[in-house]
Amino acid sequence: MKTCLVAFLIFSLTIVGLAQHSCYGADSPGLRKVRMAFTSLSAVMMPPWIARESGIFNKYGLQVEVIATPTGVEGMNALIAGEVQFLQISGGTTASAALGGADVMIVGTTLDTLVQNLMARPEIENAEQLRGKTLGITRFGTSIDVGARIALRHFGLVPDKDVAIVQVGGMESMVPALQSNRIQAGILSYPAITQAKKLGHHVLLDVASLGMPYAFTGMTTRGRIIREDPDLVRRYMMAQVEAIARAKRDKNLAMAVMGKYLRTTNPASLSDAYEIDVQKYMLKVPLPTVEAVRSVLEDLATRNPKAKDADPRRFFDDSFIRQMQSTGVIDALYR
């Protein structure tokens, strides 16, 4: 199983910015080799991209291989199997895996609300017209799935009864599915939102406007790594926090890096993604909170009874971020 997963990661997934990157592609003596995966082609995944491309990981003694997985499901499988040490992933996927017995833990939350839009084809003028139609998500059990169900319930629609929910694959598949009328609506993130608008699709609901706390995206690792190698986690998290600060201060760099990983040169798409995901919603202090994880568990409880009475604190370790916060490390990055 492990051998198959290694082959899947190496040959089936997108390996981003590795040997072809002249600055950081070669082995660097003295740096600890680490593998991480990001789980969606969305701007919310940006911190490790910046940390790698600008050399911040190297600054903290790490040589990080950055891997893309189609969704959080594949990423979580890789983490559990030990093929990667860290994930950039939804808190919901982490909590779901932990409820199933996996030794995984949230160590940072970069966005604490669902930054998504419910978007529909031009002929769907209001949410009521979604009855009997199909709404696309990436995969069941992901944050995109959560956003879909929240959006439908917000309009008084019953998921899977009034509106069919179907999987279309990665976020990059969402706009083509709308264009082909395979789906009549979908839950999109940036930069797919900008692309869809340009093609005439429109927003029925900005899910973030509901103000619901939710551990949308952040950093996850195995509990064993936290217990046995806390210095590795500390250095990895310090690099991510510094990358967030760098991105917030340097729009040009952030857009260039996002363009490389998202494979787009469209300035409007990149600018929208930057202003919404990075400047507006990305947390300077990526602290996991009880409130954001409780919302995750409340949603999971509708499908998994184990989540109903679970203590939110069981699913995250905020000690690394709290230490950086209390010692003034994060504040210093913005002076």
Side-chain angles (χ1 to χ4, degrees):
M1 172 66 183
K2 187 173 181 179
T3 301
C4 292
L5 183 56
V6 171
F8 177 71
L9 284 170
I10 294 174
F11 298 110
S12 299
L13 305 180
T14 304
I15 307 292
V16 185
L18 299 180
Q20 65 267 42
H21 195 291
S22 58
C23 295
Y24 307 116
D27 288 351
S28 301
L31 298 180
R32 182 168 179 180
K33 294 182 179 180
V34 176
R35 301 181 87 208
M36 70 79 58
F38 62 93
T39 54
S40 174
L41 283 176
S42 169
V44 300
M45 298 286 164
M46 186 214 58
W49 306 344
I50 290 280
R52 177 176 171 78
E53 297 300 318
S54 66
I56 294 173
F57 276 137
N58 300 60
K59 173 182 174 180
Y60 290 97
L62 303 175
Q63 182 177 317
V64 180
E65 184 179 357
V66 176
I67 299 167
T69 65
T71 70
V73 175
E74 291 86 353
M76 184 57 66
N77 288 340
L79 180 68
I80 292 170
E83 302 307 329
V84 299
Q85 288 75 52
F86 297 95
L87 289 179
Q88 211 78 4
I89 195 168
S90 162
T93 309
T94 302
S96 180
L99 286 167
D103 181 26
V104 293
M105 187 79 67
I106 298 167
V107 287
T109 297
T110 50
L111 288 91
D112 61 358
T113 193
L114 290 159
V115 185
Q116 305 166 341
N117 280 185
L118 168 60
M119 299 196 69
R121 287 178 51 83
E123 66 269 20
I124 305 295
E125 297 179 355
N126 56 65
E128 184 60 28
Q129 291 178 328
L130 289 176
R131 287 186 186 273
K133 301 296 194 302
T134 299
L135 188 153
I137 62 168
T138 51
R139 291 286 181 88
F140 295 125
T142 63
S143 62
I144 297 296
D145 184 18
V146 173
R149 296 172 193 278
I150 289 172
L152 291 177
R153 288 194 290 264
H154 172 75
F155 289 116
L157 298 168
V158 179
D160 298 316
K161 180 181 178 182
D162 296 328
V163 182
I165 297 177
V166 300
Q167 302 177 117
V168 300
M171 181 55 63
E172 66 276 13
S173 301
M174 199 70 70
V175 175
L178 278 171
Q179 279 293 94
S180 66
N181 203 25
R182 177 185 170 192
I183 59 176
Q184 289 71 58
I187 298 294
L188 277 65
S189 60
Y190 288 96
I193 292 170
T194 304
Q195 181 186 0
K197 286 180 178 178
K198 186 177 180 179
L199 293 170
H201 308 294
H202 61 102
V203 177
L204 293 179
L205 177 68
D206 176 356
V207 181
S209 69
L210 301 178
M212 174 183 171
Y214 188 91
F216 176 37
T217 302
M219 308 81 158
T220 287
T221 189
R222 296 193 300 277
R224 181 177 179 179
I225 295 176
I226 296 173
R227 295 187 296 272
E228 298 181 359
D229 202 350
D231 183 62
L232 172 62
V233 182
R234 179 188 62 81
R235 286 189 283 155
Y236 182 84
M237 294 302 291
M238 288 183 70
Q240 288 245 16
V241 167
E242 184 166 330
I244 292 170
R246 179 72 182 276
K248 284 181 175 288
R249 296 195 316 265
D250 191 340
K251 181 176 181 178
N252 289 336
L253 172 66
M255 287 179 58
V257 171
M258 285 192 297
K260 176 180 178 179
Y261 283 77
L262 296 172
R263 298 176 181 177
T264 180
T265 57
N266 186 299
S269 294
L270 291 171
S271 184
D272 286 350
Y274 178 82
E275 294 300 335
I276 299 297
D277 288 331
V278 179
Q279 284 294 4
K280 185 174 182 179
Y281 287 109
M282 193 165 287
L283 301 174
K284 292 181 178 179
V285 182
L287 190 68
T289 66
V290 168
E291 294 76 17
V293 176
R294 181 179 290 120
S295 292
V296 166
L297 294 172
E298 288 173 352
D299 173 74
L300 288 173
T302 64
R303 304 180 297 282
N304 186 343
K306 292 181 181 179
K308 184 176 180 182
D309 298 315
D311 180 359
R313 294 186 183 278
R314 169 188 161 192
F315 301 90
F316 68 88
D317 183 336
D318 62 0
S319 62
F320 299 96
I321 297 298
R322 286 200 180 277
Q323 183 181 32
M324 283 184 269
Q325 186 181 34
S326 64
T327 56
V329 168
I330 299 177
D331 285 343
L333 294 171
Y334 292 90
R335 291 177 189 149

